[in-house]
Amino acid sequence: MGGRPDASVELPLAGMSCAACATRIEQGLAALEGVRTAAVNFAAERARVTYDPAALGVERLVARVRELGYDVPLAALTVPVAGMSCASCVGRVEAALSGVPGVVEASVNLASERARVTVVEGRAGLAELRAAVRAAGYDIPATAEAGADAPDREQAARARELGRLRRRVIVGAGLAIPVVIGSFPQLFGWAPQALTSPWVQLILTLPIQFWVGWGFHRGAWAALSHGTANMNTLVSIGTNAAFFGSVGVTLWPEAFMAAGGMTYYDTAAVLMTLIVLGRYLEARARGRASEAIRALVGLRPKTARLLRDGAEVDVPVEDVVPGDLLRVRPGEKIPVDGEVVEGRSTVDESMLTGESLPVAKGPGDRVIGATLNRTGSFAVRARRVGRETVLAQIIRLVEAAQGSKAPIQALADRVSAVFVPIVLVLGVLTCLAWWRWGPEPALLFALSNTVAVLVIACPCAMGLATPTAIMVGTGKAAELGILVKSAAALELLHRVRTLVVDKTGTLTRGRPEVTDVLPRDGTAPAELLGLAAAVERGSEHPLGEAILGRARAEGAPELPAEGFEALPGHGVVARVGGRTVVLGHARLMAERGLALDGFAKEAERLEAEGKTVVFVAVADAVRGLIAVADVLKPEAAATVAALRRLGIEVVMLTGDARRTADAVARQAGVDRALAEVLPEAKAAEVARLQGEGRLVAMAGDGINDAPALAQADVGIAMGSGTDVALEAADVTLLTGDLRAVLTAIELSRATLRVIRQNLGWAFGYNVVLLPVAAGLLYPVFGAGGVPGGLRWLLGESGLLSPILAGAAMAFSSVSVVTNSLRLKRFRAAAVERS
């Protein structure tokens, strides 16, 4: 037999309404290839499935249930993973987690040292995940435990690790310097003679090799005990080869020196110190890459001022429950999400939306926890607390995005899976080739080149190339009020060449405004507005609200009206100051026998601009007209122009008539307008554009446009900053400003540029320098043939020094992380508001 034993899993089910549903699920699961048995219990709402794990996994079973129209409740866990050293470790941890019964999917991020695991609810928990990870030679530390202080404990653990590495670097450098001085007495004639003794150098190098570098040896042994190899294996073998070769020369000098041997204590000491220094610098840089999450966590207020029985009591913010009444004073952070019930102020919401201008708040307005109250004092009724607040949702979303994998990382993962074994084989071949065919002293050349090959290889750089850029990119996006759901969405966004935007609320303000007031016969604009506002005061129509708003803004007189009458589809009429005032379109004026005279051409011009014209007649004579329109946002036209400069076609979707749509399209400068599109047909229009071979992004409000957002290759939900539509789209903007769409695309392109640079460096570094370390340039240059400018690198014969190889390896990962950190300086293109 020899095959893997069958596995079984119990899946919770949702959506069943009768026994027939249970039968349907049972038959659907049993029909899958690899499923041995499937039994569904309708009363318990569970399915027990026995299956061949070599043929399919839990994720396929879950997908099958969903294909049948039902659901399997899943939970997502994000846990830290300790002990990983390179990209090959990632694959082993993922395999270990995926093997836990009930795990649907596992994704491990080397840069953040975290794993995101999707599990069947109730089937796998932290204990099972930790046991599997430990069995693979790694660990899930205590910082994975839930609790408000988990981020603080994780940060403290990072600080302890940095402190440990710093101490080892200092000790390593302090001991390696005298070893180097003693190894080159011709350069350091002033040095004490004792330092040249191989026994003294052995004593100095011993703590470097086995205390400073203990983590590498321990990691190598753990990998070996599990039948694998990783970055630690390469470092441990390389440095031990140099160290124990030197010990052999020290103990049996005549035998080894006769074979061309010499001590390499300086190489072992400097190599290990440089590699630990590189690990320290890398850890520091990776800590900076995850600053976004720590900054978001740091925004959370610690206490709230609770109003209870007329008194104010300071309580921990964790004790606040929905319905509590809280007092917020000037300069304080708002503790939780809620609604203002008393008082007025302005609130700085820049931490949420990236918008620096404060927002006025008064009774009835919603406020967000962790935003800053600026001027006044107000009372807030708590609505959402704890994990339900907008800030908590943002933190979870950013963590999920930073822990996810971009499709571009697949190549690095495939290479990393075989990279370390290939390097070990290359090291063995290098040793044998130089020992067999190398010049004398052959043993010296064989040992030196083998150590160089082992220590110059850097799978870390390949493993960090993509996730560090994703971490910094998504963190920067969050700072700018852009929430990216996954690394895949961030990568896909840079390939978008067609952007579909909803007109209302995206290109336009989403509410009608008065744009033109044209009176006649000596009537002042304020007087015309005052008459119109008096009639509209009894109306609930959006056009009436626009006229009332403009009248108040212009300081028009408030006139009493009586006898209000709505004329559905035509207009409104009322008596103001004893005169009959009629508001309506041209047909209503014609029906009442009122001549438009010179207003007809003006009305035609305004309607051609997409505006709605309202005529105002007083005492049987047309006294003027008022034009109302849903006007463009101030930044719309400039943003569309900037998008087009990026090579993106902008398509406007609207349910408006063709004439209005074309007018708005001209003003905004969009490439194409799709008019008279019903809400339910928007998704079909997006699909039609995709059918033309376009990769389409859709920007809408995340609620009415949900089907179209789901249909688009990248859905962009534009919000107000108070409701985070986490499920509506791939990208959620916490502001309704169209410029955020442009910023998201630019940031995506910048992130992908950095990823390509990182991957190019990581692959190029290994492809170019591994052959150099193996000594392939020796036949080219030979003894003394290396040009003067390259001798610092290749010596006299074209051979790479193990010390330089170690330095290159140590700093290759640092260079990748440092390059990713450049994204923290990303600045959105300036787009002026009109």
Side-chain angles (χ1 to χ4, degrees):
M1 303 290 287
R4 293 171 64 184
D6 288 344
S8 64
V9 65
E10 195 171 85
L11 302 177
L13 301 173
M16 294 191 297
S17 58
C18 62
C21 297
T23 302
R24 175 176 165 79
I25 296 173
E26 198 171 272
Q27 293 174 344
L29 289 171
L32 285 175
E33 184 177 352
V35 171
R36 308 292 190 225
T37 61
V40 177
N41 186 319
F42 172 62
E45 295 186 304
R46 305 189 84 77
R48 185 164 189 82
V49 187
T50 304
Y51 62 97
D52 178 6
L56 77 169
V58 177
E59 71 279 359
R60 181 68 189 102
L61 300 176
V62 172
R64 182 58 177 157
V65 172
R66 290 177 171 175
E67 288 167 6
L68 295 168
Y70 305 93
D71 197 16
V72 177
L74 301 176
L77 302 176
T78 301
V79 295
V81 179
M84 296 188 297
S85 61
C86 65
S88 58
C89 298
V90 169
R92 282 188 286 278
V93 175
E94 285 181 350
L97 291 170
S98 298
V100 176
V103 170
V104 176
E105 183 183 15
S107 176
V108 177
N109 188 307
L110 176 63
S112 62
E113 297 179 302
R114 300 180 76 83
R116 183 170 175 80
V117 190
T118 304
V119 301
V120 176
E121 281 190 358
R123 286 292 302 153
L126 192 59
E128 291 81 5
L129 301 181
R130 178 178 283 123
V133 170
R134 285 179 174 171
Y138 305 91
D139 191 23
I140 295 178
T143 52
E145 306 295 343
D149 63 340
D152 295 331
R153 284 188 282 134
E154 187 169 339
Q155 186 173 354
R158 284 184 177 274
R160 286 195 299 272
E161 174 65 9
L162 277 174
R164 185 185 68 83
L165 288 172
R166 187 187 304 113
R167 286 191 298 274
R168 292 176 188 250
V169 168
I170 293 171
V171 171
L175 294 174
I177 289 172
V179 172
V180 171
I181 291 173
S183 299
F184 298 95
Q186 66 274 24
L187 296 179
F188 305 100
W190 48 266
Q193 186 67 26
L195 290 181
T196 63
S197 166
W199 289 100
V200 172
Q201 293 181 16
L202 168 59
I203 293 169
L204 292 173
T205 306
L206 192 64
I208 300 177
Q209 185 68 13
F210 296 107
W211 183 77
V212 173
W214 175 245
F216 295 104
H217 305 309
R218 183 181 55 198
W221 176 253
L224 179 63
S225 63
H226 288 86
T228 61
N230 56 24
M231 181 69 208
N232 294 319
T233 308
L234 300 179
V235 173
S236 181
I237 292 176
T239 57
N240 277 329
F243 177 76
F244 285 109
S246 302
V247 171
V249 174
T250 303
L251 294 176
W252 303 285
E254 286 142 12
F256 274 84
M257 288 185 179
M262 61 179 291
T263 59
Y264 263 90
Y265 290 121
D266 58 319
T267 297
V270 174
L271 261 181
M272 189 59 82
T273 302
L274 282 175
I275 293 169
V276 175
L277 173 62
R279 185 63 59 89
Y280 168 71
L281 295 175
E282 177 191 321
R284 280 191 60 186
R286 283 159 67 175
R288 289 185 58 202
S290 61
E291 279 177 358
I293 290 291
R294 292 201 300 275
L296 288 170
V297 171
L299 291 172
R300 296 185 303 196
K302 297 293 190 293
T303 62
R305 186 170 290 106
L306 184 64
L307 292 175
R308 183 182 293 161
D309 300 328
E312 297 182 1
V313 182
D314 286 344
V315 298
V317 74
E318 292 82 10
D319 293 347
V320 177
V321 298
D324 280 347
L325 194 61
L326 310 172
R327 172 68 64 186
V328 184
R329 294 174 178 170
E332 293 180 341
K333 288 182 178 179
I334 298 169
V336 296
D337 297 1
E339 181 180 310
V340 178
V341 295
E342 174 196 319
R344 293 186 178 276
S345 182
T346 57
V347 175
D348 180 356
E349 296 183 342
S350 58
M351 54 71 61
L352 188 72
T353 65
E355 177 58 59
S356 58
L357 294 177
V359 181
K361 300 290 182 180
D365 290 333
R366 286 183 290 180
V367 291
I368 307 302
T371 55
L372 182 66
N373 180 29
R374 296 286 297 272
T375 53
S377 173
F378 54 82
V380 175
R381 182 76 64 187
R383 297 300 184 200
R384 291 188 290 193
V385 301
R387 291 177 57 83
E388 301 304 316
T389 64
V390 168
L391 180 62
Q393 293 180 63
I394 291 172
I395 291 172
R396 289 199 299 274
L397 190 64
V398 175
E399 283 181 335
Q402 291 189 342
S404 62
K405 285 190 177 183
I408 197 172
Q409 193 173 342
L411 174 62
D413 288 346
R414 287 196 297 271
V415 172
S416 298
V418 298
F419 182 79
V420 173
I422 288 175
V423 172
L424 288 172
V425 170
L426 182 59
V428 171
L429 292 176
T430 298
C431 183
L432 294 176
W434 279 93
W435 201 351
R436 173 66 178 83
W437 293 293
E440 291 299 329
L443 179 61
L444 174 62
F445 282 113
L447 179 62
S448 177
N449 291 330
T450 300
V451 172
V453 166
L454 293 176
V455 300
I456 203 168
C458 193
C460 294
M462 291 187 290
L464 293 169
T466 299
T468 51
I470 293 295
M471 283 181 66
V472 182
T474 52
K476 185 64 181 180
E479 288 180 22
L480 299 171
I482 302 166
L483 304 183
V484 183
K485 184 177 288 186
S486 67
L490 187 66
E491 178 181 337
L492 201 59
L493 191 59
H494 93 284
R495 293 168 46 203
V496 166
R497 291 298 177 269
T498 298
L499 174 66
V500 178
V501 294
D502 186 45
K503 178 187 81 74
T504 305
T506 302
L507 282 176
T508 64
R509 293 185 184 274
R511 62 182 185 275
E513 296 181 6
V514 172
T515 59
D516 302 86
V517 180
L518 302 178
R520 63 177 293 182
D521 296 336
T523 304
E527 181 185 352
L528 188 70
L529 280 169
L531 291 168
V535 177
E536 293 287 8
R537 203 163 274 118
S539 170
E540 295 180 353
H541 195 281
L543 295 182
E545 293 179 2
I547 291 172
L548 283 166
R550 179 64 177 269
R552 282 193 292 267
E554 296 287 338
E558 291 193 16
L559 305 173
E562 57 187 15
F564 173 84
E565 181 184 358
L567 307 173
H570 291 76
V572 291
V573 61
R575 292 186 63 78
V576 181
R579 297 178 294 177
T580 300
V581 179
V582 181
L583 271 67
H585 51 54
R587 287 196 305 276
L588 178 61
M589 300 298 117
E591 288 172 5
R592 290 182 168 252
L594 302 175
L596 299 180
D597 297 334
F599 284 118
K601 288 187 177 180
E602 288 292 340
E604 186 176 342
R605 174 183 65 81
L606 293 170
E607 287 174 345
E609 295 174 1
K611 300 174 181 178
T612 300
V613 175
V614 178
F615 293 93
V616 182
V618 183
D620 296 329
V622 176
R623 301 288 294 274
L625 63 80
I626 298 173
V628 180
D630 182 8
V631 298
L632 285 178
K633 291 181 177 179
E635 72 279 359
T639 305
V640 168
L643 286 165
R644 294 180 66 185
R645 286 195 295 272
L646 291 179
I648 296 173
E649 179 189 28
V650 183
V651 179
M652 183 184 76
L653 269 183
T654 180
D656 289 349
R658 167 58 58 186
R659 186 175 186 180
T660 301
D662 287 343
V664 174
R666 283 195 302 273
Q667 295 169 27
V670 301
D671 298 277
R672 198 181 347 169
L674 303 178
E676 301 174 6
V677 179
L678 297 175
E680 58 269 22
K682 288 182 178 181
E685 289 291 342
V686 172
R688 188 172 62 79
L689 290 170
Q690 291 171 321
E692 298 174 8
R694 304 166 183 268
L695 198 146
V696 178
M698 165 75 184
D701 62 14
I703 303 170
N704 299 329
D705 299 319
L709 292 172
Q711 175 64 45
D713 297 289
V714 181
I716 304 174
M718 301 182 66
S720 63
T722 56
D723 291 310
V724 184
L726 299 184
E727 300 303 325
D730 303 297
V731 179
T732 299
L733 309 179
L734 298 179
T735 173
D737 193 324
L738 188 64
R739 290 176 294 184
V741 176
L742 174 65
T743 300
I745 293 173
E746 289 180 325
L747 181 56
S748 170
R749 293 187 176 187
T751 302
L752 266 293
R753 277 197 303 272
V754 168
I755 288 175
R756 291 193 188 100
Q757 290 165 2
N758 287 350
L759 288 173
W761 162 255
F763 282 113
Y765 163 88
N766 286 290
V767 168
V768 171
L769 291 187
L770 271 171
V772 173
L776 290 188
L777 291 182
Y778 180 80
V780 176
F781 295 117
V786 177
L790 292 177
R791 289 187 180 177
W792 66 273
L793 179 65
L794 301 174
E796 298 289 333
S797 306
L799 300 178
L800 192 65
S801 161
I803 291 178
L804 288 177
M809 186 280 286
F811 289 100
S812 61
S813 298
V814 177
S815 66
V816 165
V817 179
T818 303
N819 190 48
S820 297
L821 288 172
R822 292 192 302 114
L823 287 168
K824 294 173 72 70
R825 300 197 300 269
F826 171 84
R827 292 290 181 271
V831 175
E832 296 297 327
R833 297 167 68 97
S834 60

